[in-house]
Amino acid sequence: MVKSVVANGRVIKGVKYRLNIKGNEIERKIVKNLSEFFGVTFSRIEKFKNTDYTFSFLQPGDEYREKFNMYNEFLLLFSPFQDFDRRALDFVDKTLSDYDNRLDKVCIFLVSKDLNITHKIAALNNENKDSKLIVPFTYDEFIKSKITKENVENKLREYFYSRDLFAIESPIRNDSYFFGRKKIVQEFYSKYISGEQGGLFGLRKIGKTSVLYALMRTIDSKDGVYIFVDCQNPSVHALRWFELLQSLINKLIEKYDIQLDVNDYTFDEKYAAASFEKLMIQIYRKLNKKRILLIFDEIEMISIDTASAEHWRNDLDFVHFWQTIRAFYQEHQNEICFLVAGVNPHCVEVASIQKIDNPIFSMINPVYLELFGIEDVKNMVSSIGRYMGLDFDEEIYTKLVDDYGGHPFLIRHICSLINRSVSLARPIKVNKFDYSREKQNYDIAISKYIEQIIQVLKISYPNEYNLLETLAVQGNEAFLSKLGKGDFSTIQHLIGYGVLKKYKDTHFITIEALSIYLKNNSNLLIDDSLEAKRTAISKRRNKVELKLREMIYTVFITKYGRAEAREKILTAKKTEERKKFDGIPTNELMEEEYYFPELKVLVNKNWDDFNKAFEDKSKFKINMDIINAYRVDAHAKSITEEEYLMTHMALNWIEKCIF
């Protein structure tokens, strides 16, 4: 038996005084072997889902703190089955929740009889990037010979340093990597308890769905009732309003295994509201009269003006659906409440829809999910980083907030890039000089993520995007000038997102990387001079011309082969001119002998080959004519503001089709 070593009141080696180690003889020997490196502070056998689980708590000393960020006790779990059962991970989640104040949220030692456990844990990690750091051992490893300190540390290095815990693309589904949002989760839980409606809004990838998952975990832990509706799923937004009401009923029945025959109820435009009410009352009673929370994520997908499906976007499905929910809520406030989440609160701010009152107008007080401050960034980056052997300079946290505005998704991906660039000989210090040197490369690498975040504004809320673009490219005065002509609720949305701040009369974009992206991808002019307009139009027109040539050539060659493609290309030339192109390779012919008007002719004559790209033939012809008419660079003529804007819009239309 290893003699106990106590430091600062913590047993860091050996077994805690009078602790009775649970398990069979082999399992007790394994615990005692590990007690040579860690303190054993707790041991127990618990039944969970008809299976007995033997586990202990191990406590690391200072050297494990320094090398692997192991501060708290961590779970040692035995899996005595020849074939590892993933249901053991449900027990892990339960145990981490039961002992939330004691156990490390990330690190677990798993000892299994399954000889393939290493491969199975690797597969689990590949499936779920935000899974915990499960360090696998087999019973055989301990039976054949004692595990040494070197064996343990090599395992820890393998599983801690080889995984990129920053590179999490999907919403966070457990508490292991959930940072900085506990207060807002509690606020929404309080709304649920009191029967209030909720609205959570914010930029893409800022963590809204992660907050909803955390709220659901909280409701589960308190034995509450909810259903989660991902409106981005075609199985949701493709439904008509009355079909979605029926889907809500079916989700509740399936989730909570409710015995209820819904075949007696009709869900169509005439009877859906009445059927919904009768069934919801029965479900509420069968759930022991627990309030039901309806959670709608990505609400834009079933909202007026922004939905992808016509019946939600321009018809009255949005009105009828929410009339039903509101009417039920007003009569049965103890039975349900709802929470909607999305980018923009437009759906609760528009007062009327086709002269009908919006049922949820002003029913929800929008809450915006804020960007992280320095303390939240430090907590997230340092906690995750230490598991990977990365120790960040204090000043880097400030730089991350300055450069990326405290957007957690962007910051994690910057840290992922840092992780890839440093040595695997860890732990290692990440200093501010390395960060500054690579900053420009980081900005290039994450531009695709910036585009993901901003794309929804560009498509669904173009006024907001245009204001940000104007501020980034043309400055505060142009921004204020454009704002004066627009809707002031727009600026409140931008401030709510956290991307815009106002100091006195000056506005700032808070995320420098976003400002850089807008500048690099904008077609706005920095100045209004005739020369600037000529240059801008010429530059964009040339790019369009090159891309059109490439597109036409590729489509013809791919579809018709070289000989027939050449014949089709020559149809844009006068018959008497065609002989002079003999001997010129087709690709060179396209590059050197075809000009803008002829490209238009080729597309028009072969519309069936290009209709998927351009969709509307008349718009294609009009916009191509406008672009060609105002070739101010070629003809050195002046251009009015109206003509410039017209050309700008025509180029925009063509660019969206071909790029």
Side-chain angles (χ1 to χ4, degrees):
M1 179 73 72
V2 179
K3 186 178 179 181
S4 294
V5 177
V6 179
N8 299 318
R10 301 166 69 247
V11 178
I12 59 171
K13 279 185 187 176
V15 179
K16 186 177 178 181
Y17 181 59
R18 289 188 174 177
L19 177 65
N20 182 20
I21 298 174
K22 304 296 183 183
N24 59 37
E25 184 180 355
I26 294 173
E27 289 164 352
R28 290 196 300 274
K29 282 184 178 179
I30 291 171
V31 173
K32 287 173 183 175
N33 187 167
L34 290 171
S35 74
E36 296 175 25
F37 326 117
F38 305 101
V40 183
T41 57
F42 187 79
S43 190
R44 192 167 182 174
I45 298 174
E46 279 190 17
K47 185 175 287 292
F48 179 72
K49 295 182 179 179
N50 299 318
T51 302
D52 288 329
Y53 290 95
T54 302
F55 63 95
S56 295
F57 294 172
L58 304 182
Q59 189 154 244
D62 288 344
E63 61 181 312
Y64 291 98
R65 284 188 173 198
E66 292 170 9
K67 291 179 180 177
F68 304 105
N69 193 33
M70 299 172 73
Y71 282 74
N72 298 327
E73 296 163 279
F74 61 95
L75 180 65
L76 166 66
L77 177 66
F78 290 96
S79 176
F81 308 107
Q82 299 297 334
D83 187 15
F84 175 66
D85 186 350
R86 287 194 178 192
R87 285 179 297 182
L89 300 180
D90 294 335
F91 177 73
V92 169
D93 290 337
K94 174 189 176 296
T95 307
L96 295 184
S97 176
D98 290 345
Y99 299 94
D100 181 51
N101 294 327
R102 288 185 67 173
L103 288 176
D104 188 288
K105 293 180 181 180
V106 176
C107 177
I108 296 100
F109 276 17
L110 176 69
V111 184
S112 173
K113 282 189 177 177
D114 189 335
L115 298 179
N116 291 316
I117 189 63
T118 300
H119 298 296
K120 290 183 178 179
I121 294 301
L124 181 72
N125 290 338
N126 287 332
E127 290 171 22
N128 185 9
K129 295 293 184 184
D130 70 339
S131 62
K132 299 164 184 66
L133 284 170
I134 300 173
V135 182
F137 297 85
T138 64
Y139 280 67
D140 277 10
E141 285 180 85
F142 289 91
I143 292 169
K144 288 176 180 175
S145 61
K146 283 180 68 175
I147 290 284
T148 66
K149 182 179 180 182
E150 185 180 10
N151 296 146
V152 171
E153 292 197 5
N154 285 340
K155 285 258 190 186
L156 289 172
R157 286 190 188 92
E158 179 184 354
Y159 285 90
F160 277 46
Y161 296 165
S162 63
R163 283 190 61 199
D164 189 348
L165 301 177
F166 285 117
I168 299 173
E169 297 281 346
S170 56
I172 307 300
R173 292 179 176 269
N174 61 58
D175 288 331
S176 303
Y177 309 106
F178 186 70
F179 296 91
R181 306 296 197 195
K182 287 187 177 178
K183 183 180 177 183
I184 198 166
V185 171
Q186 191 55 49
E187 286 173 3
F188 279 110
Y189 179 72
S190 297
K191 283 181 180 290
Y192 162 62
I193 292 300
S194 59
E196 296 177 56
Q197 320 312 329
L200 177 64
F201 301 95
L203 288 177
R204 277 271 186 267
K205 300 288 187 180
I206 198 171
K208 297 185 297 295
T209 305
S210 297
V211 168
L212 298 181
Y213 286 159
L215 173 63
M216 290 187 277
R217 291 194 298 273
T218 302
I219 295 172
D220 282 333
S221 71
K222 309 285 187 182
D223 203 26
V225 175
Y226 65 87
I227 52 168
F228 176 80
V229 182
D230 180 2
C231 302
Q232 197 168 223
N233 192 319
S235 68
V236 174
H237 65 70
L239 299 177
R240 295 294 311 280
W241 68 272
F242 47 88
E243 293 171 327
L244 182 53
L245 288 172
Q246 185 176 17
S247 176
L248 299 182
I249 295 294
N250 290 336
K251 281 177 182 289
L252 280 164
I253 288 172
E254 182 181 351
K255 179 177 171 64
Y256 292 101
D257 195 21
I258 298 168
Q259 301 304 308
L260 196 60
D261 188 0
V262 299
N263 294 324
D264 297 334
Y265 298 87
T266 303
F267 279 87
D268 59 14
E269 294 190 80
K270 189 173 181 180
Y271 296 106
S275 296
F276 178 80
E277 180 179 17
K278 290 172 185 174
L279 283 164
M280 282 298 283
I281 290 170
Q282 291 183 65
I283 289 170
Y284 171 71
R285 289 171 181 162
K286 287 181 178 289
L287 291 170
N288 298 320
K289 297 186 176 181
K290 294 174 184 174
R291 179 178 286 114
I292 300 163
L293 176 63
L294 309 177
I295 302 173
F296 299 91
D297 195 17
E298 304 287 356
I299 191 66
E300 277 91 1
M301 296 301 292
I302 60 166
S303 289
I304 194 72
D305 297 331
T306 56
S308 58
E310 178 73 15
H311 51 274
W312 292 105
R313 185 174 68 254
N314 293 320
D315 290 343
L316 291 174
D317 277 36
F318 177 85
V319 172
H320 297 323
F321 179 78
W322 287 109
Q323 280 176 339
T324 306
I325 301 291
R326 182 185 176 116
F328 182 85
Y329 172 75
Q330 288 177 331
E331 290 293 322
H332 307 282
Q333 294 184 10
N334 290 326
E335 280 87 335
I336 70 164
C337 58
F338 61 85
L339 188 163
V340 300
V343 171
N344 186 297
H346 171 72
C347 64
V348 299
E349 291 178 340
V350 59
S352 64
I353 298 161
Q354 297 183 30
K355 299 182 180 179
I356 301 172
D357 288 345
N358 178 0
I360 54 173
F361 173 65
S362 295
M363 197 175 177
I364 293 170
N365 182 30
V367 174
Y368 287 92
L369 193 57
E370 295 180 351
L371 297 164
F372 277 7
I374 290 175
E375 282 305 309
D376 287 329
V377 168
K378 179 179 178 180
N379 186 25
M380 176 180 73
V381 172
S382 62
S383 297
I384 296 175
R386 282 181 187 146
Y387 284 115
M388 299 160 63
L390 303 176
D391 182 17
F392 291 82
D393 264 357
E394 194 76 19
E395 292 172 61
I396 289 179
Y397 307 127
T398 305
K399 287 181 177 292
L400 288 170
V401 173
D402 290 343
D403 296 337
Y404 305 101
H407 193 293
F409 180 84
L410 292 180
I411 287 172
R412 284 204 312 271
H413 279 278
I414 293 299
C415 292
S416 174
L417 293 170
I418 291 171
N419 172 61
R420 281 183 248 165
S421 68
V422 300
S423 167
L424 284 174
R426 305 186 185 184
I428 192 170
K429 187 81 171 177
V430 180
N431 66 62
K432 61 182 179 181
F433 304 110
D434 293 331
Y435 174 88
S436 298
R437 187 181 63 248
E438 295 295 325
K439 164 77 168 51
Q440 193 171 0
N441 293 328
Y442 297 154
D443 288 339
I444 294 168
I446 67 158
S447 61
K448 63 180 179 180
Y449 298 120
I450 296 280
E451 187 169 4
Q452 282 181 26
I453 290 166
I454 205 71
Q455 192 71 5
V456 68
L457 298 187
K458 195 171 186 179
I459 295 170
S460 299
Y461 308 102
N463 194 32
E464 295 178 11
Y465 181 89
N466 291 338
L467 277 172
L468 281 178
E469 184 182 30
T470 300
L471 181 58
V473 178
Q474 297 178 332
N476 190 61
E477 285 189 20
F479 173 84
L480 291 174
S481 174
K482 184 174 281 192
L483 183 65
K485 302 170 189 173
D487 182 359
F488 276 88
S489 67
T490 299
I491 200 168
Q492 295 307 315
H493 294 161
L494 293 173
I495 291 170
Y497 301 148
V499 298
L500 187 72
K501 281 191 178 177
K502 181 181 179 183
Y503 177 71
K504 295 183 179 178
D505 291 327
T506 305
H507 295 80
F508 302 92
I509 294 175
T510 59
I511 303 176
E512 189 196 0
L514 172 58
S515 186
I516 292 169
Y517 173 85
L518 290 168
K519 288 174 183 174
N520 290 341
N521 292 275
S522 175
N523 291 314
L524 292 179
L525 298 176
I526 296 174
D527 68 73
D528 263 349
S529 68
L530 176 60
E531 189 58 39
K533 289 174 180 174
R534 284 177 177 168
T535 302
I537 290 175
S538 176
K539 183 178 177 183
R540 292 175 68 189
R541 187 181 180 284
N542 289 341
K543 283 174 69 177
V544 164
E545 194 169 325
L546 286 170
K547 185 65 177 178
L548 269 173
R549 281 201 195 102
E550 180 186 321
M551 174 191 279
I552 293 166
Y553 178 76
T554 302
V555 168
F556 284 169
I557 290 290
T558 303
K559 192 168 183 179
Y560 300 107
R562 294 190 177 277
E564 193 175 346
R566 185 179 180 87
E567 289 303 312
K568 284 187 169 290
I569 289 168
L570 284 170
T571 59
K573 298 290 186 181
K574 293 177 182 178
T575 307
E576 62 270 21
E577 292 181 351
R578 294 176 190 174
K579 282 191 177 181
K580 70 179 182 181
F581 302 116
D582 289 348
I584 300 175
T586 308
N587 61 333
E588 290 182 21
L589 180 64
M590 278 295 295
E591 288 173 11
E592 298 173 11
E593 301 294 341
Y594 278 75
Y595 302 102
F596 205 79
E598 293 165 313
L599 299 178
K600 175 194 157 191
V601 170
L602 283 174
V603 173
N604 278 341
K605 283 190 172 184
N606 301 276
W607 182 252
D608 288 345
D609 295 324
F610 300 98
N611 62 354
K612 286 186 179 178
F614 298 105
E615 293 184 355
D616 191 315
K617 191 173 185 178
S618 61
K619 283 186 180 179
F620 171 76
K621 290 168 70 176
I622 289 167
N623 286 309
M624 289 289 284
D625 287 341
I626 290 170
I627 295 167
N628 194 55
Y630 295 107
R631 292 183 61 200
V632 291
D633 59 314
H635 305 299
K637 60 185 179 183
S638 62
I639 184 169
T640 66
E641 182 66 22
E642 185 179 348
E643 289 168 339
Y644 173 74
L645 288 173
M646 193 187 303
T647 310
H648 172 70
M649 291 170 67
L651 282 162
N652 270 354
W653 191 90
I654 297 292
E655 285 165 347
K656 284 178 183 176
C657 295
I658 65 176
F659 286 107

